[in-house]
Amino acid sequence: MEERWSTEHVLSLAPDAASLKAAGKLSGPAPWSGAGWGQGALWGECRGSGSTPYRTVVELGGPAYQCSCPSRKFPCKHALGLLLLWSGSPEAVPGGTVPPEWAAAWLAGRQKRAQKVSAPAAADPVAAARRAERRSARVAAGAQELCLRLADRIRQGLADPAAASAGWDQVAARMVDAQAPGLAARARELGSAGQESLLAEYALLHLLAAAYQRVGELPEPLAATVRARVGFTTDTAELLAGPTVRDQWLVLGRRDNADANLTTRRVWLHGTKTGRSALLLAFGRPGQAPDLPLPTGQLLEAELAFHPSARPLRAVIGARYGTPGTARTLPSGLSPTAGLAAYGEAVADDPWVESWPVVLAGVVPVPGRPDWYLTDGQHALPIRDTGEDARWRLAAVSGGRPVTVFGECGHRGFTPVTVWDESGKATGVSG
C-alpha cells in the first residue's frame, strides 16, 4: 500500500499560492464526509456553499484528480485539502477501504482509457531525415546571418547603449523563422543586457552561432551541447530508450518560475551512489501545477536519462523502484572556493552555461551593501537573483550559525534554493 505523503509533498502539487491558502482551510475533518483510502486512490465528499457536497477523487499513482466543483485548477482546493487531511490526520481518512460507486466509476474509466491508448505509429525514418536536413540548413543560414549582424554592431561600436540594444527583437524573430529558438532567445536578451556585460553577451552569442556553422567538425559531446543551445531538442522516449543511470536520487530543491502563459518547474537531484547532479524540468499551463511533485529531501530509486551534452545535467526520469524515502542526514557540501571551481569546470566544458548546482557546507549568510554574502570565514560568494524575503529566510534559519545551502553557483554569484538547519530540516528559500 502507498505510504501517506508528507505535507511538503502535498504542498508541492499546488498550482498557485491562492490554491494553497484555500486548501489549508479544507485540511481539517469538519467539511469532509465519507473519506477513505485504498486501491491506490483517495476520495471524500466536501461540504461547500451548495446543497450538494463536492465529490473528490485522487488517483495517487499519477497523480490524477477528479472533483465535481467548478474550478478549472488542477488540482483544485478540494483535492489539495483532501490530500492534506490524508497526510496529517490518518484517523479522518481510514485506509484499506473500498471506494464508493461514484469514485470507482471514475477510476475504472481512467483504467479503461489507459488500456485503449495504442502505441504511436512508427515514424518514417526517410521523411524524418529529410526534415532534419531541411531544418539544419535553415538554422545554418540563420546562424550565418546572426554572425554578420553581430559583426556589424561591433563595427558601429557599443558605446551608445540605446543603439547597441536596439533592433534585437527583429533579429530574434528572424531566428525563430530559422527554427533556432535558442539563438532567438539570446538575441532577444541582448536588447535588455546591461552595458557592463554587453560585449561578453555579444561574444558568447557569436561563439554559439559560429560553432553551429562548424558543428560537424566538433567532438560529439560539444556538438551535442551546441545543438541543444541553438534549440534542437531530443524526444523523451528517444532518451529513455538509450543509456540510463540508476541511482538513489536525493531531491535537493525545487524552484517554480511563472509568467502569464507558463509555469516552469526546476527540480535538482543528487545521485547518492554516483555523485552525479541532475536537473528535471516540467511545465504547466496557468492554473495547473507542473508535474514532478518531488519534495525536497525525498530519496527515490530511479533511472534517469540525460540529454546529450559535454556536461550532462538536464535529465528525464524513467522507471522508479520501491517506495520513496526521506533523507535523514545533511547532504555533503563544498566550500565557496570549491563551489566556484565546480562552476569553472562546467564552463570549461560548456562556455554558455550560466550556473551549476552546488551544495555549500558550513557557510553563514552575512548582510552587506549592496549584496549579501555566504562565507565560510575565509572566502565568500555574493548572493544573487533572490528576493529580500528569501535572504531574510536564509538568515533566520542560520541564526548566525553555519548552515548547509544548496543553490546555483555562477559568474554573478550564488542563488540559494534550499537551506538545512543543524537538525537537518530543509527549508526552501528560492523566490
Side-chain angles (χ1 to χ4, degrees):
M1 178 179 289
E2 179 101 11
E3 289 187 0
R4 292 180 190 265
W5 296 352
S6 66
T7 301
E8 186 182 12
H9 189 167
V10 177
L11 297 181
S12 70
L13 301 169
D16 51 39
S19 299
L20 208 59
K21 184 177 180 180
K25 299 177 182 177
L26 301 174
S27 60
W32 292 96
S33 62
W37 167 41
Q39 301 178 13
L42 180 66
W43 56 86
E45 296 184 82
C46 185
R47 187 175 64 251
S49 55
S51 58
T52 305
Y54 297 122
R55 291 176 168 178
T56 307
V57 195
V58 179
E59 187 188 58
L60 299 171
Y65 318 94
Q66 168 66 20
C67 186
S68 59
C69 76
S71 174
R72 299 180 66 180
K73 294 183 179 181
F74 291 94
C76 68
K77 64 180 181 182
H78 303 100
L80 286 171
L82 181 59
L83 282 165
L84 287 171
L85 179 67
W86 171 62
S87 171
S89 304
E91 68 284 357
V93 188
T97 54
V98 178
E101 185 178 347
W102 55 269
W106 179 75
L107 293 168
R110 272 188 56 80
Q111 187 175 12
K112 192 175 180 180
R113 287 191 294 274
Q115 291 172 346
K116 282 185 176 179
V117 175
S118 57
D124 182 349
V126 176
R130 288 174 180 166
R131 287 195 297 273
E133 187 177 350
R134 285 197 295 270
R135 183 183 180 189
S136 295
R138 297 187 69 171
V139 174
Q144 185 178 22
E145 177 184 340
L146 183 57
C147 284
L148 292 174
R149 287 179 178 267
L150 288 164
D152 285 344
R153 291 296 180 93
I154 292 295
R155 276 192 290 271
Q156 294 167 11
L158 303 180
D160 183 354
S165 59
W168 286 110
D169 282 342
Q170 290 80 3
V171 176
R174 294 280 297 168
M175 295 303 106
V176 171
D177 292 341
Q179 296 184 284
L183 295 180
R186 284 182 171 270
R188 194 174 295 110
E189 289 171 1
L190 287 181
S192 58
Q195 188 71 9
E196 70 283 358
S197 62
L198 198 55
L199 182 59
E201 297 299 331
Y202 267 61
L204 283 170
L205 184 52
H206 188 276
L207 178 64
L208 180 58
Y212 185 77
Q213 294 178 76
R214 301 178 61 181
V215 70
E217 304 172 31
L218 301 176
E220 183 48 39
L222 182 56
T225 299
V226 170
R227 282 193 288 268
R229 295 290 180 188
V230 166
F232 287 85
T233 58
T234 307
D235 183 71
T236 297
E238 182 181 343
L239 283 173
L240 291 174
T244 58
V245 179
R246 178 172 176 173
D247 202 338
Q248 189 175 48
W249 299 96
L250 168 63
V251 181
L252 289 174
R254 186 195 72 177
R255 184 169 62 219
D256 290 352
N257 296 101
D259 58 28
N261 302 314
L262 192 70
T263 297
T264 302
R265 172 167 294 175
R266 292 173 172 81
V267 179
W268 290 270
L269 307 178
H270 172 76
T272 59
K273 300 173 186 173
T274 62
R276 294 189 65 162
S277 298
L279 170 63
L280 307 178
L281 294 180
F283 306 94
R285 298 189 300 273
Q288 180 178 356
D291 289 338
L292 296 176
L294 300 175
T296 300
Q298 187 178 84
L299 279 168
L300 68 157
E301 185 85 16
E303 293 185 12
L304 297 188
F306 286 81
H307 285 254
S309 170
R311 173 71 60 151
L313 178 64
R314 186 181 171 187
V316 295
I317 194 165
R320 307 187 192 195
Y321 303 92
T323 302
T326 302
R328 304 297 180 191
T329 59
L330 288 169
S332 57
L334 306 173
S335 67
T337 303
L340 198 57
Y343 168 62
E345 293 172 2
V347 172
D349 289 334
D350 180 354
W352 303 278
V353 68
E354 294 283 340
S355 59
W356 192 254
V358 167
V359 177
L360 299 178
V363 291
V364 179
V366 178
R369 294 181 179 177
D371 297 318
W372 285 42
Y373 293 88
L374 284 170
T375 178
D376 62 354
Q378 294 183 326
H379 301 93
L381 286 172
I383 299 175
R384 295 289 171 84
D385 296 332
T386 191
E388 190 77 7
D389 290 348
R391 290 195 290 268
W392 282 111
R393 199 175 306 133
L394 185 63
V397 173
S398 166
R401 297 180 294 273
V403 288
T404 299
V405 184
F406 165 72
E408 292 184 291
C409 188
H411 60 91
R412 293 186 298 173
F414 189 88
T415 305
V417 176
T418 306
V419 57
W420 287 264
D421 63 15
E422 292 175 320
S423 67
K425 180 183 178 183
T427 301
V429 293
S430 61

